[in-house]
Amino acid sequence: MLERLRYRLRYISGTDIALWIVAALLLTMIVVGSYNILTEGRYTGRQWLDFVISGLAQGSIYALIALGYTMVYGILFMINFAHGEVFMSGPFTAYFLAEYLKQKGMFQSHPLLALLLVMLLSMLVSTVIAVSLERLAYRPLRGAPRLVPLITAIGASFFLQYTFRGLYTPGFKAYPEVEPLKGTWVFFPNSLHLEIERMLIAVFVSSVLLLILLYAFVQFTKTGRAIRAVAEDQQAAALMGVDVDHTISVTFAVGGAAAGAAGVFYALMFRQVNYFMGFFPGLKAFTAAVLGGIGNLPGAMLGGLFLGVFESVGPSLFLEGLGVPAAYQLKDAIAFTMLVLFLIFRPTGILGERLAKRA
Amino acid sequence: MAYFEVRDLHVYYGAIHALKGISLRVEEGEIVTLIGANGAGKTTTLRAISGLVRPRSGQILFEGEDLLRYKPHEIVTQKRVIHVPEGRRVFARMTVEENLYMGAFTRTDRDKVEEDLERVYQLFPRLKERRRQLAGTLSGGEQQMLAIGRGLMAAPRLLLMDEPSMGLAPILVESIFETIQEINKQGTTILLVEQNAHMALQIAHRGYVLRTGEIVLHDTAENLRANEMVQKTYLGMA
């Protein structure tokens, strides 16, 4: 026991010590801040619950986007940095359908049907963009060193942003409101009187349903089995008669469809779309994928929900207690600090998939 | 017309001339073995047949049709030429049974697939015991059984096997070779690549000896066993 400890101590470097000090400091900050705010009683239990619920809704959107990152990584070992733009392309295009349906009065007469149409168009556009991206930008570079597709992805990201900026003009566009999703629903009116915004519930529930659906698709269908086989060993999959190129296309399509759906949820929650809307959710979802363990499907879902709640509760919980003004604006800083910490201390993510299985 | 025939096959890896005009043939119902030392080109030959490497020139004829115009997955779906690769390459994160069904991935004859599953379980009862287990947790021998079983699930018309004995304990090697012979008796044509020439020549009908990308000898297994050069170089007899 003592022997082993001495052995391990010998291999601790100065950098390790510095990193552990940073981690300890951050942890102290979190504990002290949380303690202050909780003893102070600035927020009621209900308000904390609100933070958690909006965090879950936001997190389920991250989870849907993160799915695309993690599936593509699982199969090609590349980070598709243009995935945020895949997410943007759907709802931005579907905005025009939404606007048209609103003018025709369909959003007023059949709001849910109209929403469904918008949703389908958004998913379709995102899917087409994702698949074309793979076909045109990534497939020709399949054999290249890993840095090459990565840089290409960043280029493709800018290309898509400015293409859509040129196509649809740079301004913000307001998504129509959906009448049945306005206001709140009250649960247990006699005892708890839990009042929750309808939109959050709708977004959370439909996202989770979609996540389950996609997971089942990968786990239980024949195509899903092909995806998993290609992710494990492309050549062995080809020897089973799996069409590898086609399977990679399908993977991009699934990720694209999920991102397109997430985009509509995002547009409904924040009521606006523009060409830059994919940047931050894209980075956040990437963070979520890393948190969960990139390449790992349930991990991406878990990571998304975790990140959503963390950045929703975090600012009020441990920054306000330290006297940081306007703590809520620092939620992005919290999210990315967490990314860095995870990459340093647990690069395998929560669910522990090895990051670089094969070089 | 031969059942399966390779004619004057040349493969290059960059500037390296890996196969220098290989020709061989396999008749229906045979076990033909390809023996040779490390780096002689045995694996490359199989990889060329299943489409994983593109030959520079030559022909690979299955029932008279050239396989070179097919992609790897088409060789499986259209010709049922099945390659059990070196190092087993089972899908570690899938269960044993999922792996076996991957072997039957492109088949549509469901009833026959279930029959073949039963047949594989009969050949390898161990796999049946472990069918819900992840393939990554199997021992090397069990993984080799799984890799062969997975190949059989594709209903092969020609089974290419690459070093099925590699890394196995001697007692397992023997039983694997017995099973290969059994598979052949049940009607599957086999092209077997082996470093373990001793075992391979015991079960094969004919054999080819490969040295640095060329076939240097070709005869019946019996004659090869009696051949002085083969005895010296590959069977370790003085």
Side-chain angles (χ1 to χ4, degrees), chain A residues 74 219 222-226 228-245 295 353 357-358, chain B residues 47 50 52 71-74 76-77 82-85 89-94 98-99 101-107 150:
Chain A
Q219 213 59 29
K222 201 173 164 181
T223 315
R225 249 191 298 139
R228 284 187 290 140
V230 173
E232 266 200 58
D233 189 334
Q234 280 191 20
Q235 282 192 349
L239 293 181
M240 302 296 114
V242 174
D243 184 342
V244 173
D245 282 340
E353 193 87 347
K357 196 161 52 83
R358 279 165 279 177
Chain B
R47 289 170 65 83
S50 56
L52 294 178
K71 288 183 182 169
H73 70 270
E74 290 168 340
V76 175
T77 47
I82 305 300
H83 183 169
V84 176
R89 309 278 284 263
V90 297
F91 300 110
R93 279 176 286 172
M94 294 188 190
E98 278 183 303
N99 265 280
Y101 278 119
M102 272 317 293
F105 185 77
T106 59
R107 288 175 65 184
R150 192 177 61 175

Side-chain angles (χ1 to χ4, degrees), chain A residues 97-108 114 117-118:
Chain A
L97 175 67
E99 198 52 33
Y100 173 78
L101 293 176
K102 188 179 157 195
Q103 268 160 26
K104 288 285 167 190
M106 200 173 166
F107 256 99
Q108 291 74 22
L117 288 177
V118 170

Side-chain angles (χ1 to χ4, degrees), chain A residues 142-225:
Chain A
R142 195 72 63 72
R146 276 163 71 168
L147 192 59
V148 175
L150 193 76
I151 292 168
T152 308
I154 295 171
S157 165
F158 281 113
F159 172 80
L160 286 171
Q161 271 185 28
Y162 288 94
T163 304
F164 278 89
R165 183 180 189 263
L167 274 175
Y168 300 152
T169 69
F172 281 94
K173 312 235 182 303
Y175 246 60
E177 280 190 294
V178 185
E179 207 56 45
L181 297 182
K182 271 164 77 175
T184 59
W185 271 311
V186 179
F187 295 90
F188 314 110
N190 302 319
S191 50
L192 280 169
H193 196 81
L194 209 55
E195 196 176 345
I196 303 173
E197 273 183 61
R198 290 181 182 194
M199 182 61 80
L200 296 181
I201 295 177
V203 166
F204 180 70
V205 170
S206 9
S207 303
V208 169
L209 281 179
L210 254 178
L211 286 173
I212 293 172
L213 205 74
L214 289 170
Y215 183 69
F217 172 75
V218 172
Q219 213 59 29
F220 301 117
T221 66
K222 201 173 164 181
T223 315
R225 249 191 298 139

